Amino acid sequence: MKQIQFPDHFLFGAATSAAQIEGGALADGRGPSIWDVFADKSGTIADGSNPGTACDFYHSYKQDIALAKKLNLQSFRFSFSWSRILPEGYGKVNQKGLDFYKRVLEELSRQELIPNATIYHWDLPQALEDQGGWQNRDSAEWFGEYASLLFREFGDQIPLWATLNEPIAAYVGYAQGIFAPGYCSERMGRQVNHHLLLAHGEGVRRFREEHLKDSRIGIVIDIWKHHPFRPDNPDDCAMAELENEKTYRSYLHPIFHGGYADALMQYMEQNQCMPEIRLGDFERIRQPLDFFGLNCYNRVVDCADPALQELENSKKTGGNFQDNGNEFYPKAVYDAVQLLRDEYQIGIPIYVTENGTPGYQEAPGMDGKVHDQDRITYMKGFLYWIQKALAEGADIRGYYAWSLLDNWEWNSGFGSRYGLTYVDFKTQQRIIKDSGLWYAQMIRSKGFAYDTPGEFEQSRR
Ligand code: IFM
C-alpha cells in the first residue's frame, strides 16, 4: 500500500450554491431569479422540477452546517442569492435577505468552518433579465453595486471571495438555450461573456476599495480541457484546439493576458459574433487577483468524424468509464494546473473549488445506506493528481468536493445527484453516503492509502 498525504495547512471543504440548495424562493421578500422563471417554462428541466424548495437550506441551514462539521469539513463554499438581497437587482435592499446570510455566517463561525463565498453563481435576478440581463452593458455596474453591498455587510467575516462561478454558464444560457435564460445565439453568448468579464473586473475593483484586511478575492473558472480523439488526426486536433479557445481560454486570456487570443478573435470575426469591445475594457477586466478557483470535473474528447464519435459514445461502459457513463480521467486536474502554471504563469494560489461526479440511480439500499464506491474512486483519483502537482511545486491550497448535498442540478433537475450526502427531496431527510464517510475520515488523517499508481494513472480509452 502507498500513502497520499496532504500538508497540514491544506484546506478541505465542500461547495454548494444558493439556487441549488436554498429553496425559500418566495420567502421574506426574495425576488425571482432567471432560473425560477426558466424552470417554469415547459421542457426546460429534465424532470419538470424547479428550485422553489431544493434542499430547503433556507430553513435547515443549521442542521446542514452541523452536517458539514460532522464530515470534518474545514471550509464551506456557498453563494449569495442576488435576488434575495436585491429583489430588483439594484436599489432597494431586502434586509431579511441580508439577515439570512448573517445567520448562516454566525453558524459557520460557531462551528468553526471557514466561509468561502461566491458573489454570483448563475442566478441573475429576473428583474435584471427584464432589462436585457447580461446582454446589457450596465450589468457590470449592477454587479458592482451588489458586490459592494456584500463587501460592506460581510467583508471581514469572509476570507475567500470569488466574483463569479463558471462564467461559461451565461454563454450556455444565451448561446445554447439549455440554461437560463434560454436564448440560442452565438453572438449574444459572446457578448454576455464579455459583460461577465467586465463585471468580474468591476467586482475586484470594488473589493479593493474596501481595503479588507484579512480577505482575498479571486474568480472560479471550470477547465474542461479538450483532447483530440485521434491525436495524429489534424481535424481532431484543430477541433479540440478551437474548443479550448472558445471555452475556458476565452476567460483566462482576458483575465491574465488582457485580451482575447488571436484564434478566438478570428473565430468571432468569421462567425459574425464579435462582441462590442470598448476602449479600456481589457484594463478593467485584467485586475490582479489573490487566488484562482479551479473547478475540474473531467476532460472532453473531440472527434471530427461524427460516426466515429457516436460509436465511441456508445461504448461508455466498463474500462475507464464509471457507472454513470463518464470517463474516469482524474489527470484532468493535473493538466489544468499545469496549463495555469505554464500557459498563464498565474503565480497565485490555486484552490480546487469544485470536483465531483453525478449518480443517476442513487438511493439508500436495504441497509439504509448509500454505497457510492465510484465516487470514492473518483475523488481518490483527483486527490492523487492534486498531490502530484503539489509535490512538483504547484501552489494548491485547498480542495472542495461538489457537493455537500444532493441538490437541484439546474436543467437536470433532481435526477443528477452529486452529494456526499443523500437527500430525500420529499421528506428532506439527509443520509451521509459512503463517500461522505470516506471523505470525513480522509480529512481527519489528511490523506489516504492506495494500492498502485496505476489505479489513477492509466487512460484506457
Ligand atoms: O452543479 C454544478 C455547479 O453549479 C457548477 N459546477 C458544476 C456542478 C455540477 O454540474
Side-chain angles (χ1 to χ4, degrees):
M1 286 296 242
K2 292 186 170 14
Q3 180 73 17
I4 296 273
Q5 206 57 46
F6 286 91
D8 279 348
H9 64 263
F10 194 87
L11 206 60
F12 283 106
T16 64
S17 90
Q20 294 178 271
I21 62 166
E22 284 182 4
L26 302 174
D28 297 332
R30 179 183 178 276
S33 87
I34 52 174
W35 278 95
D36 296 298
V37 173
F38 182 69
D40 282 343
K41 292 184 185 152
S42 125
T44 53
I45 311 297
D47 58 5
S49 62
N50 65 46
T53 305
C55 304
D56 202 28
F57 181 80
Y58 189 71
H59 299 107
S60 67
Y61 68 94
K62 272 196 187 164
Q63 295 96 289
D64 289 333
I65 291 172
L67 177 73
K69 188 68 186 173
K70 196 166 165 194
L71 293 185
N72 294 331
L73 304 189
Q74 299 162 289
S75 180
F76 178 75
R77 180 168 176 248
F78 69 102
S79 73
F80 290 97
S81 157
W82 188 337
S83 61
R84 193 179 292 293
I85 294 174
L86 291 160
E88 295 299 320
Y90 53 77
K92 195 169 173 321
V93 176
N94 179 26
Q95 188 56 45
K96 287 189 172 163
L98 285 178
D99 290 346
F100 167 64
Y101 294 105
K102 267 190 199 140
R103 295 195 293 276
V104 168
L105 286 164
E106 272 164 22
E107 203 52 29
L108 289 173
S109 156
R110 221 171 59 77
Q111 295 281 13
E112 297 179 327
L113 281 154
I114 297 169
N116 176 336
T118 301
I119 299 169
Y120 180 71
H121 192 128
W122 307 6
D123 47 353
L124 192 76
Q126 179 61 33
L128 296 182
E129 181 54 33
D130 294 341
Q131 296 174 57
W134 288 111
Q135 291 183 78
N136 188 331
R137 198 177 151 94
D138 291 347
S139 51
E141 277 307 308
W142 301 334
F143 179 80
E145 177 185 325
Y146 163 52
S148 284
L149 174 66
L150 295 185
F151 299 145
R152 287 180 194 146
E153 290 289 330
F154 307 116
D156 280 331
Q157 299 171 58
I158 299 176
L160 294 167
W161 285 91
T163 52
L164 310 175
N165 179 80
E166 300 181 6
I168 200 164
Y171 171 84
V172 177
Y174 288 81
Q176 299 180 333
I178 47 182
F179 278 3
Y183 295 109
C184 272
S185 147
E186 181 69 10
R187 199 197 50 73
M188 272 189 199
R190 294 290 150 201
Q191 188 65 62
V192 301
N193 262 359
H194 190 69
H195 291 158
L196 269 110
L197 285 164
L198 285 172
H200 156 75
E202 181 63 14
V204 178
R205 191 187 70 74
R206 302 257 189 160
F207 178 83
R208 302 289 178 218
E209 273 179 359
E210 301 301 323
H211 302 289
L212 300 167
K213 221 169 48 315
D214 297 318
S215 303
R216 306 274 174 271
I217 194 151
I219 185 169
V220 173
I221 293 177
D222 49 329
I223 298 185
W224 299 69
K225 194 168 172 189
H226 288 252
H227 296 240
F229 178 61
R230 299 161 293 181
D232 50 358
N233 179 294
D235 292 339
D236 288 8
C237 292
M239 188 175 175
E241 211 29 55
L242 181 61
E243 288 305 317
N244 284 323
E245 294 298 342
K246 287 168 63 184
T247 54
Y248 59 88
R249 281 200 201 132
S250 71
Y251 310 102
L252 297 179
H253 240 79
I255 289 171
F256 294 113
H257 287 174
Y260 293 119
D262 292 347
L264 183 63
M265 288 297 276
Q266 204 184 355
Y267 163 83
M268 294 193 298
E269 249 157 41
Q270 283 169 357
N271 292 277
Q272 284 98 47
C273 56
M274 182 66 75
E276 187 207 341
I277 303 170
R278 296 197 190 156
L279 204 67
D281 278 3
F282 290 115
E283 284 71 52
R284 289 179 68 189
I285 292 168
R286 187 191 198 178
Q287 301 281 332
L289 298 178
D290 302 324
F291 73 90
F292 183 83
L294 166 65
N295 285 1
C296 189
Y297 287 84
N298 216 332
R299 68 168 171 177
V300 183
V301 179
D302 292 320
C303 180
D305 176 342
L308 197 58
Q309 177 95 67
E310 208 184 312
L311 185 71
E312 174 61 17
N313 288 349
S314 68
K315 281 195 303 202
K316 287 186 169 176
T317 51
N320 58 331
F321 288 91
Q322 296 208 293
D323 286 351
N324 60 14
N326 294 343
E327 185 190 11
F328 179 52
Y329 187 72
K331 184 170 177 279
V333 69
Y334 178 87
D335 293 345
V337 169
Q338 292 270 83
L339 183 142
L340 291 168
R341 295 179 76 196
D342 297 349
E343 245 183 87
Y344 293 96
Q345 288 108 30
I346 64 166
I348 47 176
I350 298 171
Y351 288 84
V352 176
T353 34
E354 283 182 29
N355 172 241
T357 189
Y360 299 107
Q361 307 295 335
E362 282 178 351
M366 297 292 278
D367 57 1
K369 297 180 178 163
V370 181
H371 300 298
D372 55 341
Q373 182 56 44
D374 257 9
R375 184 168 288 113
I376 299 176
T377 305
Y378 174 96
M379 291 169 83
K380 279 185 175 173
F382 277 78
L383 289 169
Y384 168 86
W385 282 101
I386 289 170
Q387 212 278 336
K388 197 169 164 66
L390 272 172
E392 291 173 9
D395 186 6
I396 309 173
R397 303 273 175 102
Y399 170 91
Y400 291 79
W402 182 270
S403 179
L404 175 63
L405 304 165
D406 289 341
N407 55 46
W408 191 71
E409 177 58 26
W410 310 110
N411 59 331
S412 303
F414 292 110
S416 182
R417 293 175 177 271
Y418 277 87
L420 299 169
T421 309
Y422 176 86
V423 177
D424 179 329
F425 292 104
K426 288 201 184 82
T427 61
Q428 291 296 345
Q429 191 200 357
R430 275 70 165 140
I431 299 172
I432 299 175
K433 300 181 192 174
D434 284 358
S435 60
L437 299 172
W438 174 83
Y439 193 47
Q441 177 53 42
M442 195 279 300
I443 297 173
R444 187 184 296 281
S445 52
K446 284 264 154 114
F448 61 91
Y450 66 100
D451 287 335
T452 68
E455 280 178 71
F456 311 125
E457 280 190 350
Q458 282 163 23
S459 173
R460 295 183 295 272
R461 192 166 250 285

